[in-house]
Amino acid sequence: MAGTNYRNTYSRSLEQREDFWLEAAAAVAWSAEPSVALDASGAPLYRWFPDGMLNTSYNALDRHVEAGRGDQDALIYDSAMLGTKRSYSYSELTALVARFAGVLRSQGVGRGDRVVIYMPMIPEAAIAMLATARLGAVHSVVFGGFAPKELAARIADAGPAVIVTASGGIEPSRRVEYLPAVDEALALAGVGGLPVIVKDREGFAAGVADYAGWTDWDAAMEHADPAAPVDVAAADPLYILYTSGTTGTPKGVVRDNGGHAVALSWTMKNIYDVGPGDVMWTASDVGWVVGHSYIVYGPLLAGATTVLYEGKPVGTPDAGAFWRVVQDHRVNVLFTAPTALRAIRKADPGAGELARYDTSSLRTLFAAGERLDTETYKWAGEALGVPVVDHWWQTETGWAICANPRGLDDLPFKPGSPTVPMPGFALSVVDGAGAPVDPGEEGNIVLGLPLPPGTLTTLWQNDDRYVSSYLAAFEGSYATGDSGYQDADGYVFVMGRTDDIINVAGHRLSTGAIEQVIASHPAVAECAVIGVADPLKGQRASGYVVLKAGADRDEAELVRELVALVRRDIGPVADFKHATVVQALPKTRSGKILRKTMRQIADGDDYILPSTIEDPDVIGQLLGVLRPGGAA
Ligand code: COA
Ligand code: AMP
């Protein structure tokens, strides 16, 4: 009967937690087997597999070579930007990672040290991550679309021993020069002398030779001695990944080694149904959590082949790019963001491009990063003729909170729902006071503690912020920051964030951070940034600005300056292009800007003015601006 396997597995994960996760831990090669699953002595901070020792890089690489699969493809690099392809077998990738670990070691990197990686989608990005893990060090990958200031904030917080970068990334319209950005970020962070290793690429204005003291990747690799995997405690950090919080300061999500390896191994088999020899392609970027989990670690831990794609869904060269990659590499499982599917559908609604390729290898399409709208869900399912699995997760959780676990069961799909909670996630929907709401009723989605292995263990060197950001609002639970409901069958529907985080083209952004940049403009008295619905990117950031008294500025010119400022201080990834000058912003009597009401008006949703509003007339003045041509 459909669902029995899932239901039994889910309830066992919560009722017999120790047994469940110790059994799952058998999928990992330990240098010291864990004898217990959970250490709750530091609650609400938990440690998984407290007496286990392992090395994640060994589990992702050497282990498969030792098992006789050294000749199998581990990683296929496909660059639609350059028109090139290259495969790395498990043996080759292991040798390169060991060698680059030797390079890092010669730069002084050891267990527990941090390595900041600022790289485009090239194999060296994955090699640098795995090499860091090999030394028991901690990587922090920063997405290439972030500006120097954002990179600097991450460098300052992580305190790395080394930076690894490349000459740049390739966007359809331009080359993105990384080296001047790294140089500026180091200066901003006040760590100008830090060692920098550069993978030189052709076609960029600046190269490693332009920066005195920086190390050339290729030259260093020639002389390096390979480094062996270093055993670490399961609870030792594997990586820090910074993500947007509600303030301008990013949160350094910390992932451990042991829980991560166990959880991802479980997901590969049970959620993605991917095993040794299968090909998984996650069309994301190593700068995001999806890239960490399913471009690099998940497929390699499972002994599968991962595809690392440098390109876009459309325009590189056309809307058939994804289907070409599926055909060329016989991809079995594709994972992408709904925005990419919407971009393809917009360019090729009749899926004519798809018909040009043989995509018969494809078994399943997974989507995450934002809500998968029903239209896109149906279009993709009909065009590809394979199940389309929406699954819901966050940088913090590292793997899906809710999914339709394809390797475990055959659960029916419900459009608009990422299906059901995954093992270990004690999900409930509660009202503002923490009381459970009825099925079908919307509320805050919370997860009972402890969270399962593989989720964040804390924020980097900031336990207090971890507790106050996630654990303080609802006693005994982790607040996901998402609202939604669970229907009578237990299916979860995720409706949107309850905080000031927005999702633009699958990229998570803080409106607070954008507001902070806009407020730094000398003509701006105050501002509000909200995420308004966008048919392609899901949401887009829209700014509403009140000028200082006497600031007589041409609006179009001011908007150009604000757009340039956000691009300079946050980066092109913020995709900030819309700002409007308004007379006043709607506020409560205590001075809180009513962003949610503004967003509801802009999206054409129903809204109720809070009784605490300071001046209801301000909303009246804003109606035409927020909802052009629209009445209340
Ligand atoms: N380095 C530097 N700049 C980058 C970048 C990177 N790695 N990634 C994006 N940018 C730039 C883009 O060039 C663009 O710059 P522009 O303003 O000069 O045009 C800007 O950031 C906005 O990028 P984006 O929002 O991605 O829009 P786009 O028009 O370039 O592409 C999509 C639209 C839908 C094709 C694209 O957003 C996409 O593929 N999204 C999928 C996102 C994803 O995989 N998310 C991971 C979560 S699963
Ligand atoms: P990130 O940390 O960048 O992965 O963003 C996490 C946020 O993206 C979540 O809190 C959700 O708001 C949103 N999100 C991710 N996946 C989904 C999904 N499948 N459905 C709805 N929202 C999603």
Side-chain angles (χ1 to χ4, degrees):
M1 188 181 121
T4 313
N5 240 355
Y6 160 72
R7 275 197 300 275
N8 291 345
T9 306
Y10 181 66
S11 50
R12 195 163 166 262
S13 75
L14 297 178
E15 285 154 19
Q16 296 165 43
R17 186 189 295 128
E18 279 287 316
D19 291 349
F20 183 89
W21 289 113
L22 279 178
E23 260 169 47
V28 168
W30 303 88
S31 47
E33 296 261 342
S35 63
V36 281
L38 184 71
D39 171 10
S41 60
L45 304 183
Y46 297 88
R47 293 185 328 140
W48 284 98
F49 311 110
D51 57 353
M53 301 279 294
L54 78 165
N55 181 279
T56 299
S57 175
Y58 172 83
N59 269 278
L61 297 168
D62 313 55
R63 182 186 183 196
H64 305 305
V65 179
E66 290 167 14
R69 287 204 304 280
D71 292 338
Q72 184 203 304
D73 283 346
L75 184 146
I76 299 172
Y77 167 52
D78 186 308
S79 176
M81 296 303 189
L82 298 172
T84 55
K85 297 172 200 170
R86 183 175 168 193
S87 331
Y88 299 76
S89 68
Y90 268 100
S91 297
E92 277 174 280
L93 193 63
T94 304
L96 286 167
V97 167
R99 200 165 268 271
F100 191 65
V103 173
L104 290 175
R105 194 178 48 192
S106 70
Q107 299 271 357
V109 176
R111 180 175 170 185
D113 289 336
R114 273 81 57 214
V115 174
V116 164
I117 300 172
Y118 185 62
M119 293 188 103
M121 283 291 284
I122 56 176
E124 288 76 8
I127 292 171
M129 292 164 77
L130 291 158
T132 305
R134 194 171 191 83
L135 297 175
V138 184
H139 59 70
S140 186
V141 183
V142 181
F143 178 63
F146 281 120
K149 219 170 164 179
E150 291 286 327
L151 176 59
R154 287 154 175 79
I155 291 173
D157 195 66
V162 173
I163 312 277
V164 185
T165 187
S167 4
I170 309 171
E171 285 296 292
S173 57
R174 67 204 146 90
R175 300 253 155 169
V176 185
E177 297 280 340
Y178 279 22
L179 301 193
V182 171
D183 197 33
E184 188 183 338
L186 291 178
L188 285 170
V191 289
L194 216 58
V196 180
I197 304 171
V198 182
K199 173 66 193 168
D200 249 345
R201 304 184 83 188
E202 273 174 32
F204 288 85
V208 64
D210 299 309
Y211 294 86
W214 290 13
T215 302
D216 177 47
W217 173 296
D218 294 323
M221 284 290 269
E222 270 179 38
H223 304 117
D225 292 324
V230 173
D231 282 344
V232 296
D236 276 8
L238 168 69
Y239 69 78
I240 309 166
L241 182 56
Y242 288 90
T243 189
S244 302
T246 49
T247 68
T249 316
K251 291 171 171 166
V253 165
V254 177
R255 193 92 56 219
D256 65 2
N257 274 275
H260 174 255
V262 171
L264 287 194
S265 301
W266 188 90
T267 66
M268 290 306 298
K269 185 167 187 290
N270 293 285
I271 297 182
Y272 300 99
D273 196 14
V274 168
D278 285 336
V279 180
M280 181 169 191
W281 172 29
T282 300
S284 177
D285 188 287
V286 289
W288 307 119
V289 67
V290 169
H292 280 62
S293 294
Y294 296 111
I295 295 173
V296 181
Y297 288 109
L300 297 178
L301 286 166
T305 303
T306 185
V307 178
L308 188 135
Y309 173 69
E310 185 180 36
K312 303 272 173 181
V314 291
T316 59
D318 53 37
F322 272 26
W323 320 133
R324 196 268 303 158
V325 174
V326 169
Q327 169 186 278
D328 286 0
H329 308 300
R330 308 296 299 156
V331 170
N332 303 121
V333 167
L334 168 59
F335 178 171
T336 191
T339 191
L341 297 172
R342 286 196 297 269
I344 297 171
R345 177 175 170 228
K346 191 173 167 214
D348 182 24
E353 292 289 351
L354 176 60
R356 292 172 46 211
Y357 299 97
D358 171 8
T359 56
S360 58
S361 59
L362 195 66
R363 297 197 295 253
T364 325
L365 171 67
F366 285 86
E370 54 175 318
R371 201 176 148 72
L372 176 61
D373 59 280
T374 307
E375 283 305 302
T376 308
Y377 167 79
K378 285 192 181 142
W379 177 83
E382 279 164 21
L384 287 162
V386 299
V388 179
V389 182
D390 179 15
H391 57 336
W392 166 56
W393 48 302
Q394 315 184 314
T395 303
E396 289 85 345
T397 63
W399 58 286
I401 308 165
C402 285
N404 191 322
R406 299 298 297 162
L408 184 66
D409 212 327
D410 192 16
L411 299 180
F413 289 88
K414 293 194 187 189
S417 168
T419 316
V420 287
M422 288 297 92
F425 288 106
L427 184 147
S428 54
V429 181
V430 300
D431 65 17
V437 300
D438 290 333
E441 203 181 313
E442 190 169 336
N444 304 286
I445 310 181
V446 301
L447 307 169
L449 296 176
L451 295 174
T455 56
L456 81 173
T457 52
T458 186
L459 295 178
W460 179 246
Q461 292 187 331
N462 206 339
D463 293 346
D464 289 348
R465 190 176 180 200
Y466 170 58
V467 172
S468 65
S469 301
Y470 300 103
L471 310 184
F474 302 102
E475 180 75 33
S477 292
Y478 164 93
T480 63
D482 279 304
S483 71
Y485 64 93
Q486 214 168 358
D487 72 8
D489 298 328
Y491 278 56
V492 176
F493 291 76
V494 181
M495 306 309 287
R497 299 284 308 189
T498 57
D499 54 18
D500 296 329
I501 286 172
I502 60 170
N503 213 307
V504 180
H507 306 141
R508 173 166 158 180
L509 298 167
S510 153
T511 53
I514 302 174
E515 286 177 3
Q516 225 169 301
V517 174
I518 294 177
S520 71
H521 189 286
V524 171
E526 60 177 351
C527 68
V529 172
I530 57 172
V532 298
D534 181 273
L536 176 65
K537 299 193 173 186
Q539 285 185 304
R540 68 180 156 78
S542 207
Y544 300 90
V545 176
V546 180
L547 296 185
K548 283 183 181 154
D552 183 17
R553 292 294 313 270
D554 173 66
E555 181 163 349
E557 192 189 19
L558 177 81
V559 169
R560 272 197 301 278
E561 286 171 16
L562 295 176
V563 166
L565 204 58
V566 173
R567 197 175 172 96
R568 188 198 72 186
D569 283 359
I570 296 181
V573 65
D575 205 20
F576 179 75
K577 299 207 168 86
H578 299 89
T580 312
V581 173
V582 296
Q583 293 304 311
L585 293 168
K587 289 181 188 168
T588 62
R589 280 190 287 275
S590 61
K592 194 171 175 302
I593 296 172
L594 294 166
R595 292 181 184 79
K596 185 173 169 196
T597 312
M598 291 173 73
R599 180 168 47 78
Q600 286 168 327
I601 297 173
D603 287 349
D605 294 343
D606 293 339
Y607 65 94
I608 299 169
L609 284 187
S611 57
T612 52
I613 190 164
E614 186 187 40
D615 179 1
D617 290 347
V618 173
I619 285 286
Q621 293 159 16
L622 275 178
L623 282 178
V625 176
L626 288 166
R627 201 189 281 179

